[in-house]
Amino acid sequence: MHACICPKFEKTFSILGKKWSGLIIEVLLTGDHRFKEIAEEIPGVSDRVLVERLKELEDEDIVIRKELADGPIRILYGLTEKGKNLEPAMIEIQRWSNQWITI
């Protein structure tokens, strides 16, 4: 008999399991960042894919896009409360990877 995977658990991994999503969240856990800053923190991600992932995470209410109009318009990306609540899980994933993953 196979265990049935919870639909919410499956949905969570469909969001967080996409390439670059976890790294974007990890960067934003340190605070709000401009697009260029996020791209610089994640070597290898293309601008096109970064735009897609940020939009997907925004659609899931994990990332918020903020327009600052104090002079030239600047866009900052940050985490919503929902996104910030991922921090304990991200810490545990980092702990697990430090113990078990070799590169």
Side-chain angles (χ1 to χ4, degrees), residues 21-76:
S21 293
L23 296 176
I24 292 167
I25 292 166
E26 189 71 20
V27 168
L28 294 178
L29 280 168
T30 65
D32 294 350
H33 286 70
R34 293 174 50 220
F35 182 90
K36 182 181 172 194
E37 295 167 340
I38 298 168
E40 288 171 357
E41 291 287 325
I42 307 172
V45 66
S46 70
D47 286 353
R48 180 185 62 79
V49 172
L50 183 53
V51 167
E52 286 176 13
R53 291 299 175 272
L54 285 166
K55 180 65 176 132
E56 291 165 359
L57 292 169
E58 190 178 351
D59 290 346
E60 293 294 338
D61 193 35
I62 292 170
V63 166
I64 187 165
R65 183 179 184 270
K66 306 170 189 178
E67 288 188 22
L68 303 177
D70 55 347
I73 292 184
R74 292 182 308 148
I75 307 295
L76 285 179

Side-chain angles (χ1 to χ4, degrees), residues 5-15:
I5 300 293
C6 169
K8 288 183 177 185
F9 187 80
E10 184 177 356
K11 170 79 175 182
T12 299
F13 270 88
S14 76
I15 297 165

